[in-house]
Amino acid sequence: MRNILWSGIVVLGFAAAGLPAASGQADDVAETIEAIRAAVERFTDVNVALAEGYIPDPSGECVKAGEHGLPPELGHMGIHYMRPDLLGITATEPRVDGTGTHTDFMEPAILLYEPQADGSMVLVGIENLVFARAWQEAGHSEPPSFLGRTWDYMADDPAIPGDQAHGFEPHYDQHVWFRTNPSGNLEHFNPAVSCDLRSA
């Protein structure tokens, strides 16, 4: 995804008194996602997102795993609307680069929309993204993590068809899905999100 101007560290205790660790962790993930959903509910209206400084990916791409050298069954992401200021964008050529280390999921840098046949957009999730070099220059020796999950590291591999980093310099990103994801609501792609509804 070229020219896309497109992931918070939230540390929570997973051990709930009287509950197995796995159960407590699942509850914390669900509760945190609901809190994030409530914080960004206003963006269900894409016009509100535009008014608050989010812009649609200039390429217009609705991201599908299969079009980026990944197994198609991983699913889709949708269309990205992003805040260039939160991403710290400094360049879009030859690849998108920036100084962004924004990690607040209550104010996400990226909104994920599923396009509908009538041209409308449905908010299905959010994302934050930090550039790997900027993250390291900020003094971090480890990748960011969220709810016990290390963010995905994205760098293009010329040996694999498609651009796995979507036109970006190496970065870490983390998705949070509001549309229930059979693979997990913190995974990169979502098989329950479709770009195929989009009107021609």
Side-chain angles (χ1 to χ4, degrees), residues 153-165:
Y153 177 71
M154 307 296 293
D156 185 42
D157 182 349
I160 300 175
D163 184 346
Q164 296 75 48

Side-chain angles (χ1 to χ4, degrees), residues 2 58 177:
R2 300 258 328 147
W177 295 104

